[in-house]
């Protein structure tokens, strides 16, 4: 336990039995559809504790199956349930030389949902983030 442990409500940690295996469709249609109702329930609980909720900020990676597939599913479902709230995303683009061959496809499949459902999209380059961290934090291992 550390000082950051109290920042998060443990009831809001949601996990599935399987990963999405870098597959956008599994994140959006298979694994994501099994977990989305639990995820939306956690969001509703947090919203009930606020006085004047303005919108959402979603951080997700576009290269993997969970961030791209389930992330866009979450964004589209939040847009359906809360159409008048601001939807901002901080979407991390995969590296130019991806670890997985499907990362560019996951990104392209996600773009349509971001265009339709997000009010603001901030793209962050994974390579640049890594370079900044390496230069400023100087980790012993990547």
């Amino acid at each position: 336990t550390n000082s950051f442990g109290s920042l998060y409500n443990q009831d809001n940690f949601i996990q599935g039995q399987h990963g999405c295996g870098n597959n956008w469709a599994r994140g959006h249609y298979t694994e994501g559809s099994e977990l989305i109702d639990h995820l939306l329930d956690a969001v509703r609980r947090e919203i009930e504790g606020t006085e004047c909720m303005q919108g959402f900020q979603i951080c997700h990676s576009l290269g993997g199956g969970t961030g791209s597939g389930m992330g866009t599913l979450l964004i589209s479902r939040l847009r359906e349930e809360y159409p008048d709230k601001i939807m901002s995303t901080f979407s991390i683009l995969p590296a130019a030389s991806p670890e997985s061959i499907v990362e560019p496809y996951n990104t392209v499949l996600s773009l349509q949902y971001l265009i339709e459902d997000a009010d603001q999209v901030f793209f962050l380059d994974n390579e640049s983030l890594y370079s900044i961290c390496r230069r400023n934090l100087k980790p012993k291992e990547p």
Side-chain angles (χ1 to χ4, degrees), residues 2-142:
N2 60 31
S3 60
F4 295 111
S6 62
L7 289 176
Y8 303 102
N9 182 349
Q10 298 295 317
D11 295 333
N12 292 340
F13 284 93
I14 299 165
Q15 62 188 28
Q17 297 297 320
H18 308 285
C20 296
N22 285 332
N23 187 318
W24 182 90
R26 281 185 66 184
H28 198 85
Y29 295 113
T30 309
E31 305 298 329
S33 65
E34 292 176 9
L35 295 174
I36 193 68
D37 291 328
H38 300 293
L39 188 57
L40 290 172
D41 288 341
V43 170
R44 281 187 209 100
R45 283 193 304 269
E46 290 299 315
I47 290 173
E48 288 170 3
T50 65
E51 292 182 20
C52 185
M53 203 269 295
Q54 297 295 311
F56 301 96
Q57 291 182 344
I58 308 290
C59 277
H60 64 127
S61 170
L62 296 180
T66 305
S68 63
M70 189 168 177
T72 54
L73 176 61
L74 174 63
I75 290 166
S76 64
R77 291 288 298 274
L78 287 173
R79 176 57 72 201
E80 286 174 19
E81 292 196 31
Y82 305 97
D84 58 332
K85 302 300 180 191
I86 296 170
M87 178 70 64
S88 298
T89 72
F90 296 87
S91 305
I92 300 173
L93 295 167
S97 54
E99 292 179 14
S100 169
I101 193 72
V102 296
E103 287 182 11
Y105 298 106
N106 292 338
T107 302
V108 169
L109 291 168
S110 299
L111 289 178
Q112 182 62 38
Y113 287 88
L114 293 175
I115 290 168
E116 288 180 9
D117 297 321
D119 298 308
Q120 301 170 321
V121 178
F122 299 94
F123 288 113
L124 304 168
D125 177 41
N126 199 34
E127 291 275 337
S128 297
L129 291 173
Y130 179 71
S131 295
I132 291 167
C133 289
R134 190 177 59 233
R135 185 175 56 247
N136 294 333
L137 301 175
K138 298 178 175 74
K140 293 181 172 112
E141 295 180 26

